[in-house]
Amino acid sequence: MVKENLMEVESRIQAACARSGRSREDVLLIAVSKTKPVELIREIMETGTRDFGENKVQEMCNKIEEIKEPLNWHLIGHLQRNKVKYIVDKACLIHSVDSVRLAEEIQKEAVKKGVSKVPVLIEVNMAQEDSKDGISAQETEALVRAIAELPNLQVRGLMTIAPFVDDPEENRVHFRAMRNLRDRLKALNIPGTEMEELSMGMTNDFEVAIEEGSTMVRVGTAIFGERNYNKDL
């Protein structure tokens, strides 16, 4: 069933790219496997998918331990400073950096682990929701500049979690604002940054996000089904 779900998501991504005049290669699909068992991940791996997203450090480490094949593991959830040491050399991309203190901890652990460059995204709370992590759009440039000074980190772009809404069109304004913010920061050519990536769009709204310039969509429920938070992983 998950393979059929993946094919449906793929079809929707292709259609969104076509509507917005973008190449399918411009958008990376990250299969969000949080709370899902290794067996389901292996089913998706059979399709050639290699990018998986996890929210929790311990769960990601457990899965990396069990799955020996080389995969691209994205840490997409909130990262506590005391957990950095466990994933700094394992995550291909940390999507959720939202403070200088967290970035400094990543820098410290990267040096310890001999990781020359840790790719990160800055998490922006574009909709200014009290329940969400991330910094404001107004604070983003200062944080990017501060992190750019850390030699073992590389800012690749921005990430946001849009509000959960019944009508995905309601999030278009947030995705558009994110793209404009990214474009403005990219134009500054801040040394030590690339600012190419926009990680935005989930099961509920990834098509609108693609239409507004997302380069990475994080899709879990539409592929794996509803999450099981009771499962002991």
Side-chain angles (χ1 to χ4, degrees):
M1 187 65 179
V2 290
K3 289 181 184 177
E4 288 83 354
N5 292 346
L6 180 66
M7 288 174 62
E8 172 63 22
V9 169
E10 178 60 39
S11 174
R12 290 166 62 188
I13 290 174
Q14 290 181 15
C17 287
R19 284 194 300 273
S20 49
R22 302 180 67 196
S23 166
R24 172 62 187 90
E25 287 67 43
D26 291 343
V27 181
L28 176 67
L29 170 60
I30 300 170
V32 178
S33 47
K34 62 182 182 181
T35 80
K36 297 301 178 182
V38 166
E39 295 74 38
L40 287 184
I41 295 175
R42 289 199 176 280
E43 279 191 55
I44 295 297
M45 287 168 60
E46 290 173 7
T47 69
T49 300
R50 288 292 176 270
D51 288 87
F52 291 89
E54 290 288 337
N55 266 40
K56 296 186 176 180
V57 168
Q58 186 61 57
E59 185 177 347
M60 189 173 92
C61 289
N62 289 347
K63 288 174 176 174
I64 291 172
E65 187 69 27
E66 192 165 347
I67 301 172
K68 301 300 184 185
E69 294 89 335
L71 297 176
N72 301 319
W73 293 97
H74 298 251
L75 187 77
I76 61 176
H78 177 68
L79 178 58
Q80 296 172 305
R81 294 196 305 281
N82 64 350
K83 299 287 180 67
V84 168
K85 59 189 174 186
Y86 300 114
I87 56 93
V88 73
D89 57 342
K90 296 181 176 68
C92 74
L93 182 62
I94 299 172
H95 288 234
S96 48
V97 176
D98 60 1
S99 72
V100 173
R101 290 179 71 194
L102 175 57
E104 287 173 344
E105 188 66 25
I106 295 171
Q107 167 67 29
K108 184 176 82 173
E109 293 297 336
V111 171
K112 283 185 186 177
K113 295 281 180 70
V115 183
S116 59
K117 284 293 178 187
V118 180
V120 302
L121 302 180
I122 306 302
E123 183 174 0
V124 183
N125 186 348
M126 187 56 76
Q128 299 181 314
E129 292 183 280
D130 292 338
S131 61
K132 298 273 175 68
D133 293 309
I135 60 169
S136 70
Q138 293 75 21
E139 298 170 300
T140 305
E141 181 183 337
L143 182 57
V144 169
R145 289 188 180 278
I147 295 177
E149 297 295 321
L150 300 173
N152 292 57
L153 273 69
Q154 183 173 54
V155 181
R156 294 277 180 87
L158 307 177
M159 179 270 241
T160 197
I161 302 172
F164 187 82
V165 290
D166 291 330
D167 179 5
E169 282 294 329
E170 293 179 30
N171 282 335
R172 190 178 293 277
V173 62
H174 303 307
F175 295 144
R176 188 169 293 170
M178 278 289 290
R179 185 191 68 215
N180 290 338
L181 177 60
R182 190 281 310 270
D183 290 349
R184 184 176 69 78
L185 292 169
K186 184 178 177 181
L188 294 175
N189 291 314
I190 299 169
T193 70
E194 287 189 351
M195 303 309 299
E196 296 292 337
E197 305 296 351
L198 268 179
S199 173
M200 59 187 195
M202 298 163 66
T203 286
N204 195 48
D205 53 20
F206 68 84
E207 290 147 303
V208 174
I210 290 170
E211 291 168 4
E212 292 301 330
S214 177
T215 66
M216 297 178 169
V217 292
R218 312 179 304 273
V219 181
T221 302
I223 296 172
F224 291 102
E226 294 296 329
R227 300 176 199 128
N228 180 6
Y229 287 107
N230 296 318
K231 185 171 177 59
D232 184 21
L233 288 163

